[in-house]
Amino acid sequence: MFGRKKRNKRKATGNHVTDRGAVVVDNTVTAATGNDSDVAGPSPNPATNLLIHDVLLRAGTRIMRNSLEKGLLSNRYGRESAKEMIDNRSAKAAMTTFLVSRLATRSLPGAAIVGTGLLAKTLFDRSQSRRKAKRKGDRQLRRQQRDKTSD
């Protein structure tokens, strides 16, 4: 590929989605660079390159997540209110969502537990009257917007 000698493509050794994704990334980098022995990046030190990739991925993910959350809230509450709601989220709420998402992505049973919990919460919310559920959610988000102190 790309005028270089062909290399054997690697195959996934595990069944986890990240194992399969890693193989796709590895094969893409190898095809683009023709080099399958280095960790791509600006430094000759592979640990430094991995650190750079990690920081960039985490920063990009955070920006994308916050943008998505603000966009979803801004239709109902306005741009400034949505910004305050997201920016004033408590450390406890942020840690809880981090831990729950970590549980959901670590294993199939974890994903089943989190999915079941989210389904139960959705069904509970739907069992209440629509107006009552909306008011409760609005109150919770408005309180979060007002709280200028974070934990």
Side-chain angles (χ1 to χ4, degrees), residues 25-125:
V25 170
D26 180 42
N27 289 335
T28 303
V29 169
T30 300
T33 64
N35 186 351
D36 64 353
S37 63
D38 288 338
V39 177
S43 174
N45 183 334
T48 302
N49 288 333
L50 188 60
L51 176 67
I52 291 168
H53 296 306
D54 191 34
V55 169
L56 291 174
L57 284 170
R58 288 178 191 274
T61 301
R62 182 178 172 92
I63 290 168
M64 189 183 323
R65 183 181 60 245
N66 284 345
S67 299
L68 178 65
E69 290 170 344
K70 288 176 187 178
L72 291 171
L73 290 173
S74 64
N75 276 343
R76 181 172 175 89
Y77 301 103
R79 188 174 291 157
E80 282 303 311
S81 294
K83 180 182 182 328
E84 291 172 1
M85 288 173 188
I86 298 302
D87 292 345
N88 293 333
R89 190 173 6 209
S90 71
K92 181 180 172 184
M95 183 57 75
T96 301
T97 56
F98 170 77
L99 293 174
V100 169
S101 66
R102 181 79 182 223
L103 175 66
T105 58
R106 298 285 299 215
S107 66
L108 198 53
I113 290 168
V114 170
T116 302
L118 292 174
L119 178 64
K121 174 66 171 135
T122 302
L123 292 175
F124 173 75
D125 289 346

